[in-house]
Amino acid sequence: MLAALYTVTPTSSAVAATGYKFDFGNGAVQSGYMGVRAEDAYSAARGYGFNTPASMRNVSASGSGVGSDAVQFVTYGTKSTNTFNVDLPNGLYNVKVMLGNTSRSSVAAEGVYQIINMTGNNAVDEFQIPVTDGQLNLLVTEGKAGAAFTLSALEITQLSSNPTTHPTIYIGGDSTVANYYPLDSSVQGGWGQMLQQYVSPSNFLVRNLASGGQIARGFRNDGQMEAILKYIKPGDLFIVQLGINDTNPKNTTTEAEFKEYMRDMVRQAKAKGAIAVLSTPQGRATDFNSAGVHNAQGRWYRAATVALASEENVPLIDLNVISSTYFTSIGPAATLQLYMEGDSLHPNRAGAIQLARLVSEELKRQGLTP
């Protein structure tokens, strides 16, 4: 259950409020929240509601409190008009979402992704977003075809009247980088999920848009890069680590093609005044030779990433080599303990924490973060 921040009474004066707490579905309304049913259409007098309620459904959920019911977005997509709309004074807001029952869903607002692939019933996550047109437009959308895209609760808190995002590290990547849920206790982990532990939020917030199975072409073309480019600004960092899935023959991406997709994303981020940073993926847990030395430099199109960093004059985090040095220092058995059981590719939570530590140390060494 989401903790109560404050109580908002559903009157017309709430339109000008700087915070809302919504409990979705047709069940009992949790104390301190405003109840919103699927049939509640947006009205200017109320200041919130669904843009197209005919495309919404009330559904049950398996949690307790606000997580016991939800609404389902029957039509969806980042550009869909089937949104939940909230009138807000312009400014910077923190948005906390709790899903209903779903296997994998993403959250979009203002026409772009905000959170990628939340998994599990009543998953919780949050993001910061600038509001510049007096209204937040949000929906839960596709993370996996065939899933139910549901929303149980929403908390919106104004952080500032200035709609400028804090300095941010945006991350692109694949399953070794992505978020896993629950965020604070997941068995599997991605280093992007853990990076904020090593970066003070007073210096940089971390926005991780990595997703499992992703390739460079997909990250560029299917909405994740679009979301980053909407918000990224001078002084922000864009770290992109791809290549593992690009090398899979089913994705039909040559190393030369991979390099050009990556080059295009680097140049787009630089054109926004941000600092683009290339990272190479770590190797497999089993990449040890008979002398106990870990080496994975031949994996994942690493040579293309290293060459591109030099050609575009951008920083390189050669996590492939850095992690091999660390794995060699702790040995094969301890390295295997940092990966999912029976899996030599995907880090578990402890492994993701160590990889995030290595990334943060390299960022600091290169003067990219305080």
Side-chain angles (χ1 to χ4, degrees):
M1 183 175 69
L2 295 176
L5 298 176
Y6 47 80
T7 301
V8 181
T9 303
T11 65
S12 60
S13 63
V15 174
T18 57
Y20 282 106
K21 296 177 70 178
F22 297 106
D23 180 353
F24 295 95
N26 60 359
V29 178
Q30 185 75 3
S31 176
Y33 288 76
M34 290 184 289
V36 182
R37 299 165 299 172
E39 57 267 32
D40 290 340
Y42 169 81
S43 72
R46 182 165 50 193
Y48 62 88
F50 291 104
N51 193 49
T52 52
S55 298
M56 300 300 303
R57 299 287 185 273
N58 294 305
V59 293
S60 61
S62 57
S64 60
V66 291
S68 64
D69 56 355
V71 291
Q72 179 179 349
F73 292 80
V74 179
T75 61
Y76 46 84
T78 58
K79 311 303 180 191
S80 173
T81 59
N82 186 34
T83 54
F84 180 66
N85 301 337
V86 186
D87 292 337
L88 296 169
N90 288 349
L92 182 66
Y93 289 84
N94 190 78
V95 178
K96 185 174 185 178
V97 297
M98 174 188 279
L99 302 184
N101 288 5
T102 184
S103 55
R104 189 165 76 212
S105 299
S106 298
V107 177
E110 309 309 308
V112 298
Y113 287 117
Q114 301 292 334
I115 305 172
I116 298 292
N117 290 351
M118 297 174 68
T119 55
N121 298 339
N122 293 132
V124 176
D125 205 344
E126 56 192 290
F127 59 93
Q128 291 187 11
I129 186 170
V131 173
T132 58
D133 61 359
Q135 190 177 79
L136 176 68
N137 312 107
L138 179 144
L139 78 161
V140 181
T141 187
E142 192 169 16
K144 179 182 180 181
F149 308 124
T150 59
L151 179 64
S152 278
L154 184 66
E155 295 183 8
I156 304 170
T157 307
Q158 187 175 39
L159 302 173
S160 170
S161 59
N162 179 7
T164 301
T165 56
H166 296 304
T168 303
I169 299 174
Y170 294 92
I171 302 176
D174 53 38
S175 57
T176 66
V177 186
N179 289 350
Y180 295 86
Y181 296 83
L183 290 172
D184 60 353
S185 62
S186 62
V187 176
Q188 189 169 350
W191 68 252
Q193 174 184 350
M194 308 301 177
L195 187 61
Q196 191 75 78
Q197 297 182 22
Y198 296 98
V199 179
S200 170
S202 63
N203 294 324
F204 285 99
L205 293 178
V206 174
R207 291 292 302 273
N208 186 17
L209 275 80
S211 60
Q214 191 55 279
I215 60 176
R217 180 177 66 247
F219 195 90
R220 187 192 69 169
N221 294 347
D222 296 341
Q224 287 151 289
M225 191 66 192
E226 176 192 21
I228 291 171
L229 292 173
K230 183 177 178 69
Y231 299 113
I232 201 166
K233 62 187 183 303
D236 290 345
L237 272 62
F238 170 50
I239 307 175
V240 57
Q241 176 185 298
L242 291 160
I244 292 177
N245 298 298
D246 299 81
T247 62
N248 190 321
K250 73 176 184 180
N251 290 315
T252 64
T253 304
T254 67
E255 187 162 7
E257 289 171 334
F258 165 77
K259 186 178 180 182
E260 293 312 307
Y261 293 134
M262 297 286 278
R263 187 191 307 276
D264 187 41
M265 289 189 284
V266 163
R267 289 183 174 179
Q268 289 188 73
K270 289 171 68 176
K272 291 284 189 176
I275 300 170
V277 182
L278 290 169
S279 176
T280 59
Q282 89 284 349
R284 291 184 176 274
T286 51
D287 285 335
F288 282 89
N289 64 19
S290 59
V293 175
H294 191 278
N295 185 297
Q297 292 184 31
R299 291 196 181 277
W300 321 137
Y301 290 161
R302 172 184 174 271
T305 301
V306 173
L308 180 61
S310 177
E311 292 167 15
E312 294 296 323
N313 193 30
V314 298
L316 172 70
I317 300 173
D318 201 350
L319 186 60
N320 181 287
V321 171
I322 295 169
S323 62
S324 284
T325 299
Y326 172 65
F327 294 152
T328 298
S329 73
I330 63 174
T335 297
L336 198 61
Q337 293 301 309
L338 298 177
Y339 284 74
M340 295 293 289
E341 186 175 356
D343 183 345
S344 68
L345 176 61
H346 295 97
N348 58 25
R349 188 176 188 86
I353 288 172
Q354 291 302 319
L355 291 171
R357 176 183 62 81
L358 295 173
V359 170
S360 70
E361 289 174 355
E362 185 64 10
L363 287 170
K364 293 174 184 177
R365 188 190 70 79
Q366 297 191 39
L368 297 170
T369 58

